[in-house]
Amino acid sequence: MNNFYVQISVPEAARMLETETTYVYKLIREGQIIPARTDPIKLTLNSVVAYLKKRLPSGFDLVQVA
């Protein structure tokens, strides 16, 4: 399945970003991560990866480790 359709919870996103859930909620409020659903809030894996890519310095890229 394409990662675009994989939905994760806010706590799962927080673990991926190694941060608190409150920070993920802040990113959602600021529009930096757009939720796929709002009740309950679900994020797409793709939106979290896109946020991470925006935070990387130019010339860097994310690599998936198996």
Side-chain angles (χ1 to χ4, degrees), residues 2-53:
N2 189 331
N3 285 346
F4 183 81
Y5 299 106
V6 175
Q7 293 184 359
I8 61 174
S9 67
V10 170
E12 290 171 317
R15 282 192 296 276
M16 284 179 61
L17 298 173
E18 296 183 348
T19 190
E20 300 294 323
T21 57
T22 54
Y23 185 69
V24 177
Y25 285 118
K26 177 180 182 261
L27 294 173
I28 293 168
R29 280 193 312 276
E30 292 175 348
Q32 294 188 49
I33 297 178
I34 308 299
R37 288 183 18 191
T38 56
D39 190 22
I41 294 178
K42 291 287 187 174
L43 309 169
T44 61
L45 185 56
N46 190 51
S47 68
V48 176
V49 169
Y51 168 75
L52 281 172
K53 285 184 176 183

